[in-house]
Amino acid sequence: MRTTSAPSVPHEKCAVRSLPLPLALTARLSPVVVLAVAGWALSTGPLAATPAAEQGPDEAAVPQSQSASAPATEAESKTYSAAPAPCSAVAEKTVKSLVPGAKAGGKEIPSTDADLRRTCSWNALKGYEYRWLDVSYEVSASDEKAENAYQEHLSENSGGGEVPGLGDEAYSVVNLVTEDGQQTREGTVVVRASNALVVITYNGSDFESKKAPSTDEINKGAIKAAKDAVAALEKG
């Protein structure tokens, strides 16, 4: 039975490197092009097939009609065989609260394999407040491959903490980036549920004050979107 304790707020770290976030004035004019590339950089490589198990000596006694169907196919052994529609994975009320002014339907990012990887993005500038939300699904060939991909995500987003009660395992981290005096705070939540990963990216800036939203606001927003996305995955 999963615990329901409140998610721990990750320790925030500051980055000095330049990231493709909506920080400069030019980013206000073309945020979709700049941030969609950053959001989709989380995608993993092609998934390899799992080798079939060798037959045991007892299988010789099984009639041909039964032995032909005995080995379970990879598709049958996987909990999830395809990624759900990402743009309908987050509740409309969640989108409105996290990205004020954004269209509830979002915008799906083209994928080379829509069965295994799908991403939807929402972004809007309301007054001087800018928010961006990405929801991505990555379906692996097995739980083990998904676990490996999960660990890779964690190594690329270190410094956060676990999120209890979400999927089989979940992790959250928040980073602050400052460029040309403009702050942007970004939260990332990675969830593994069996052989699938759910990756949430949520960030925000205030172009008037040049300050970023609080760590708590970004972290809780990213986790809220992750809960919606995992529920959509489990619902099928």
Side-chain angles (χ1 to χ4, degrees):
M1 183 173 182
R2 303 184 188 279
T3 60
T4 57
S5 57
S8 57
V9 177
H11 296 293
E12 181 178 271
K13 60 180 182 179
C14 295
V16 296
R17 66 183 184 283
S18 176
L19 294 178
L21 300 171
L23 305 177
L25 177 60
T26 54
R28 301 188 206 177
L29 302 178
S30 57
V32 173
V33 175
V34 175
L35 290 175
V37 174
W40 190 239
L42 295 170
S43 298
T44 58
L47 302 174
T50 302
E54 296 182 359
Q55 289 185 335
D58 293 339
E59 293 187 28
V62 180
Q64 184 175 359
S65 60
Q66 296 181 24
S67 61
S69 59
T73 64
E74 184 177 89
E76 291 172 340
S77 63
K78 294 189 298 183
T79 302
Y80 304 107
S81 58
C87 291
S88 59
V90 181
E92 183 175 347
K93 63 180 181 179
T94 301
V95 173
K96 287 183 177 180
S97 67
L98 299 185
V99 193
K103 295 182 179 180
K107 179 179 176 60
E108 184 161 0
I109 307 302
S111 171
T112 56
D113 191 339
D115 286 336
L116 302 180
R117 301 178 196 86
R118 298 182 73 173
T119 297
C120 189
S121 292
W122 296 262
N123 65 87
L125 178 65
K126 188 172 183 179
Y128 293 97
E129 292 282 343
Y130 185 83
R131 296 291 185 274
W132 177 282
L133 173 67
D134 270 359
V135 173
S136 297
Y137 290 102
E138 304 172 11
V139 178
S140 299
S142 65
D143 287 16
E144 181 180 2
K145 289 182 181 295
E147 171 63 22
N148 291 338
Y150 178 82
Q151 293 300 329
E152 288 178 7
H153 279 291
L154 264 58
S155 66
E156 295 169 0
N157 296 277
S158 60
E162 294 182 359
V163 182
L166 190 58
D168 292 308
E169 50 190 337
Y171 183 87
S172 175
V173 64
V174 178
N175 295 317
L176 176 66
V177 177
T178 302
E179 184 174 301
D180 297 331
Q182 174 66 62
Q183 292 183 346
T184 296
R185 186 165 272 117
E186 179 171 283
T188 301
V189 177
V190 183
V191 184
R192 183 183 70 83
S194 299
N195 64 305
L197 293 188
V198 179
V199 181
I200 306 297
T201 304
Y202 180 51
N203 63 51
S205 301
D206 185 327
F207 290 126
E208 182 175 36
S209 68
K210 294 193 177 294
K211 300 295 183 181
S214 69
T215 299
D216 192 56
E217 176 184 341
I218 293 298
N219 186 55
K220 287 183 177 179
I223 292 174
K224 184 176 183 179
K227 288 180 178 179
D228 282 8
V230 171
L233 174 69
E234 294 173 344
K235 184 179 179 180

